[in-house]
Amino acid sequence: MQQLHSYLSGGWVFGQGQAREIHHAITGEPLYQVCSDGLPLAASLDYARNKGGRALAQMTFQQRAQMMKAVAKHLLAHKEALYEISYQTGATRSDGWVDIEGGIATLFAYAGMAGRELPDDTLWPEDEPISLSKQAQFAARHVLTSRPGVALHINAFNFPCWGMLEKLAPTWLAGMPAIIKPATATAQLTQAMVRLIIDSGLVPEGALQLVCGGIGDMFDHLDYQDAVTFTGSAQTGQRLRAHPRLLAKSIAFTMEADSLNCCVLGEDVTPQMPEFAVFIKEVCREMTAKAGQKCTAIRRIIVPAKRVAEVQQELLQRLAGVTVGDPKLEQVRMGALVSREQRDDVQQKVEFLLHQGCEPLCGAALDKLELAGEGAQNGAFYPATLLYCADPFSHSAVHDTEAFGPVATLMPYHQTDQAIELALLGQGSLVGSLVTADEALATRFIRATACAHGRMLILDRHAATESTGHGSPLPMLMHGGPGRAGGGEELGGLRAVKHYMQRTAIQGSPAMLAAIGREWVRGATVIEEPVHPFRKYFEQLQLGESLLTARRTVTEADIVNFACLSGDHFYAHMDKIGAAESLFGERVAHGYFVVSAAAGLFVDPGVGPVIANYGMENLRFIEPVKIGDTLQVRLTCKKKIRKPQKTAEDRPHGVVVWDVQVLNQHQQAVALYSILTLVARQEGDKGQVN
């Protein structure tokens, strides 16, 4: 039998103790042996910190993003080999697509977000400077730096690829190495993906390690700069969270646990409305995708009592059409559970629920299950099972007991207040859904139940056409939930990267803040040269390089002409009497005229390295500009972001952020903002363009 090796301290190794067998979910045949006993697990932590961590910390955010993009492309090119292994876990092609290509897409998404928004630096200035003194020479800002630790990711069996990559993406971007501990039941798929990454040579040595088997005494060797994430059962997560070492060292611990997520049908929905069909489709999809082995799956189906019979009829009809069996067969829509042990656990939970106020509507018995495909009789299959609880307020088991398979319980409510109460009885969920066409009902329900959910989906006929669905965590949205769901938070765009970094408040003079953050701030020293900054290439520009323009006096003709050109005849600009009665006391110039006039003062019109205006940020009008006021602009190079070439033919460039201060004759700021320009680079990227 094959051995499933771990990857530790730069080599593929296998343990020396009692091995555990992994079986084929479809045929039941033995596949692999897994053992990590006797492996240098503690040493792998030091290897990650000293080898991988140091290499990642020296890379800028932009370089880490490019590394992740290259890894994603490499994995995508080898996806078919991963699909073949995915079948061994009982997954259909569509199940594997969510896991494999969904995980790779998360890498792409984070690489893209970082490429657009993060600096080409190892330090991340998180906010604008905060003035702490009257003369503005004492200020502060928050910065994020990489922690010299290691992230230990303990993952669940249901998403062996996505579950790893959705954690790796923000971990690597933060400059932290990772050790992956996959669930043993599906470790063969995680190991295959890790082997592809290691063999690609795209990731620094030590940035990624893998433990197939148990983690031994690794927790005893964690330190305060490290981080631990856990995805799985709440019981196991709570035990790990209470480990003495985590408490003693205040080690960051994030838990994402299974929860009894709900889907609620609004009181307003009738069988004749499109929303009714949307509800039926969403519930059935969530019950059968991954054979119900999803932490986001719908477990509680909450419907108006007057609609129970109609919902039951439609659900039973749709579930009856789901073909179960060998996932390689085209007609099969639901594969197996991950193992026979998992199947037995689901059966025990269903039997418990049947003794706690529930009755079976379909499924719930293995002897009645018809399977498609030869050799599937020994697999870990379980039928789509719909239960009914007539009195969900009297039977707490339906809100406390999760059968982690294709199992859900239908329950009635009489008024929206009761639906809200039932949703809250889940005691914390990863996701809840509401299907309704009534905006007032949706507002009331979400405002009352958002406190108990990490994510909430409101489906109507409009959203349903493009919705990614109840059970689809997305890279840009937070994934996690309160209470039973673990209280953790993952994904959520770049905010997830911050979980693996240290936030520090830096106090000092503007010059010091500018030097530390490598980003000019107002109040810091400026550099004035005779050459206009728009005449310089990206590499030639210095942070703090500044231009103080000539002056321009605003006339009544300016205001009238701008009003005619723009069509903006607002009374504060054009009505002398109305303006006199306003807070300004007299006519004032349009704010956008001020911005336009400022551009006229600082722009160099000739052909040069500046390619285009890329945008404007944080525009604020500070003081009114009146007829006769004189404007002057200080333009300062605030930040530079080098952009990689997408193709060899692209003109190499970077983004330059300019601080713009529009001043009046009293040297008061009348407008403050930043503009972004694309500026050509003198040299293109060396080597292969990704």
Side-chain angles (χ1 to χ4, degrees):
M1 188 184 302
Q2 296 184 67
Q3 294 178 334
L4 206 60
H5 288 70
S6 299
Y7 185 75
L8 299 170
S9 300
W12 292 97
V13 290
F14 191 78
Q16 302 172 352
Q18 181 67 38
R20 175 180 168 183
E21 288 187 355
I22 298 177
H23 295 82
H24 199 297
I26 306 302
T27 65
E29 298 174 347
L31 285 174
Y32 297 96
Q33 287 185 331
V34 177
C35 181
S36 61
D37 295 347
L39 295 181
L41 299 175
S44 69
L45 293 169
D46 288 332
Y47 188 78
R49 299 184 191 110
N50 298 324
K51 188 81 172 178
R54 290 179 181 177
L56 286 171
Q58 292 174 0
M59 299 169 67
T60 69
F61 290 103
Q62 293 293 319
Q63 290 170 333
R64 296 168 198 160
Q66 286 301 301
M67 175 194 78
M68 287 164 46
K69 183 178 179 181
V71 169
K73 286 184 175 181
H74 181 74
L75 292 177
L76 201 58
H78 294 82
K79 64 180 182 180
E80 291 305 323
L82 298 173
Y83 275 113
E84 285 300 313
I85 300 173
S86 179
Y87 286 126
Q88 299 173 359
T89 70
T92 64
R93 177 80 183 193
S94 60
D95 294 336
W97 179 85
V98 174
D99 185 32
I100 297 167
E101 297 191 51
I104 296 171
T106 300
L107 272 185
F108 275 124
Y110 269 91
M113 285 186 278
R116 291 188 299 272
E117 301 180 43
L118 295 187
D120 190 19
D121 197 356
T122 58
L123 180 142
W124 179 359
E126 188 181 21
D127 52 14
E128 292 296 316
I130 304 163
S131 180
L132 301 175
S133 66
K134 290 184 178 180
Q135 300 302 318
Q137 285 303 303
F138 183 51
R141 77 182 316 180
H142 294 91
V143 300
L144 295 161
T145 53
S146 297
R147 286 154 49 183
V150 57
L152 174 59
H153 296 311
I154 304 171
N155 295 335
F157 69 78
N158 51 345
F159 287 99
C161 293
W162 178 86
M164 173 179 69
L165 294 178
E166 64 99 4
K167 294 180 181 180
L168 267 182
T171 304
W172 277 345
L173 267 184
M176 183 177 275
I179 298 175
I180 305 298
K181 192 284 175 200
T184 301
T186 54
Q188 70 268 36
L189 185 51
T190 307
Q191 197 250 29
M193 180 171 273
V194 169
R195 188 178 288 275
L196 283 172
I197 297 173
I198 297 299
D199 291 348
S200 74
L202 295 168
V203 176
E205 179 55 50
L208 175 61
Q209 297 182 80
L210 174 75
V211 178
C212 292
I215 59 171
D217 64 347
M218 287 183 76
F219 268 44
D220 294 330
H221 301 279
L222 293 172
D223 209 343
Y224 79 103
Q225 293 283 9
D226 299 328
V228 179
T229 70
F230 171 80
T231 302
S233 72
Q235 183 178 9
T236 302
Q238 289 162 4
R239 178 173 54 82
L240 294 177
R241 176 184 272 163
H243 192 281
R245 183 72 173 183
L246 269 61
L247 299 175
K249 293 288 184 175
S250 298
I251 296 170
F253 182 90
T254 299
M255 184 168 88
E256 188 262 280
D258 306 327
S259 59
L260 282 90
N261 312 294
C262 66
C263 186
V264 178
L265 182 66
E267 281 189 276
D268 61 302
V269 179
T270 67
Q272 293 73 38
M273 295 170 63
E275 284 76 11
F276 190 85
V278 166
F279 177 82
I280 298 298
K281 180 180 179 181
E282 195 69 22
V283 169
C284 290
R285 179 171 62 181
E286 288 300 312
M287 284 183 64
T288 56
K290 290 285 289 186
Q293 299 169 112
K294 294 171 61 179
C295 57
T296 56
I298 294 170
R299 303 298 180 196
R300 299 178 300 142
I301 310 166
I302 303 172
V303 304
K306 60 186 177 183
R307 301 292 175 214
V308 166
E310 294 150 320
V311 168
Q312 175 180 323
Q313 179 181 350
E314 291 296 322
L315 287 177
L316 291 176
Q317 181 177 344
R318 196 174 184 99
L319 291 173
V322 175
T323 303
V324 182
D326 186 342
K328 285 194 173 183
L329 298 178
E330 186 176 348
Q331 70 270 28
V332 168
R333 292 294 174 267
M334 189 172 80
L337 300 187
V338 69
S339 65
R340 282 179 286 186
E341 291 81 6
Q342 181 63 25
R343 180 198 64 187
D344 293 343
D345 181 75
V346 170
Q347 181 65 52
Q348 291 174 9
K349 297 289 177 55
V350 169
E351 291 174 356
F352 176 76
L353 288 169
L354 292 176
H355 286 89
Q356 297 293 319
C358 294
E359 58 182 279
L361 298 179
C362 72
L366 293 173
D367 56 357
K368 297 180 181 179
L369 180 59
E370 296 183 3
L371 299 174
E374 297 181 3
Q377 299 304 317
N378 293 322
F381 295 95
Y382 197 83
T385 298
L386 183 64
L387 308 179
Y388 178 66
C389 180
D391 188 1
F393 290 101
S394 299
H395 298 91
S396 61
V398 295
H399 309 293
D400 296 333
T401 305
E402 181 181 29
F404 201 72
V407 181
T409 303
L410 179 65
M411 56 190 73
Y413 72 89
H414 294 280
Q415 297 175 338
T416 298
D417 284 344
Q418 288 188 328
I420 291 171
E421 186 177 350
L422 288 174
L424 294 174
L425 285 175
Q427 301 176 61
S429 297
L430 293 169
V431 57
S433 288
L434 171 67
V435 180
T436 180
D438 188 330
E439 294 178 1
L441 188 155
T443 301
R444 179 182 170 195
F445 184 88
I446 297 299
R447 284 174 175 263
T449 59
C451 60
H453 296 81
R455 176 167 58 88
M456 302 200 78
L457 169 67
I458 305 100
L459 278 177
D460 60 11
R461 67 194 71 184
H462 307 294
T465 59
E466 296 182 305
S467 169
T468 52
H470 167 99
S472 299
L474 298 172
M476 63 289 297
L477 300 181
M478 194 271 285
H479 177 54
R484 187 194 300 275
E489 181 178 313
E490 299 171 354
L491 299 177
L494 293 180
R495 63 189 292 142
V497 180
K498 299 178 182 181
H499 296 331
Y500 301 97
M501 304 192 77
Q502 178 59 46
R503 177 183 288 108
T504 306
I506 305 296
Q507 296 173 280
S509 68
M512 287 296 181
L513 296 185
I516 293 168
R518 294 179 185 172
E519 179 180 309
W520 183 86
V521 300
R522 290 175 190 148
T525 305
V526 297
I527 304 167
E528 294 183 299
E529 295 186 351
V531 179
H532 194 290
F534 276 24
R535 310 305 302 170
K536 295 188 176 184
Y537 285 92
F538 183 84
E539 297 92 338
Q540 296 172 325
L541 280 167
Q542 304 175 68
L543 295 178
E545 192 161 339
S546 185
L547 170 71
L548 184 63
T549 71
R551 298 180 176 87
R552 171 176 178 166
T553 299
V554 178
T555 66
E556 181 180 15
D558 288 331
I559 296 174
V560 173
N561 289 336
F562 189 83
C564 293
L565 180 64
S566 65
D568 180 355
H569 292 84
F570 187 61
Y571 77 90
H573 313 308
M574 302 300 293
D575 183 345
K576 184 175 182 179
I577 297 174
E581 296 174 349
S582 72
L583 64 88
F584 302 115
E586 60 182 286
R587 293 165 66 191
V588 296
H590 303 70
Y592 294 112
F593 166 78
V594 173
V595 172
S596 300
L601 289 170
F602 67 69
V603 167
D604 182 282
V607 176
V610 175
I611 301 170
N613 187 335
Y614 191 57
M616 179 185 295
E617 295 178 339
N618 304 317
L619 172 62
R620 292 291 184 272
F621 297 115
I622 310 300
E623 294 288 340
V625 175
K626 301 176 181 179
I627 297 170
D629 282 351
T630 297
L631 302 180
Q632 188 177 31
V633 181
R634 178 167 287 282
L635 176 79
T636 308
C637 180
K638 177 180 179 180
K639 181 165 60 174
K640 295 166 58 179
I641 305 171
R642 184 183 179 278
K643 291 293 184 180
Q645 289 175 267
K646 293 183 179 179
T647 67
E649 292 74 28
D650 287 345
R651 186 178 183 184
H653 68 274
V655 174
V656 177
V657 181
W658 306 87
D659 179 79
V660 181
Q661 301 175 68
V662 187
L663 311 170
N664 63 17
Q665 65 272 24
H666 306 296
Q667 290 299 294
Q668 293 175 308
V670 299
L672 300 172
Y673 54 99
S674 296
I675 61 166
L676 293 74
T677 58
L678 299 182
V679 179
R681 291 193 274 123
Q682 289 177 300
E683 297 183 2
D685 295 338
K686 297 179 181 179
Q688 184 177 0
V689 176
N690 292 316

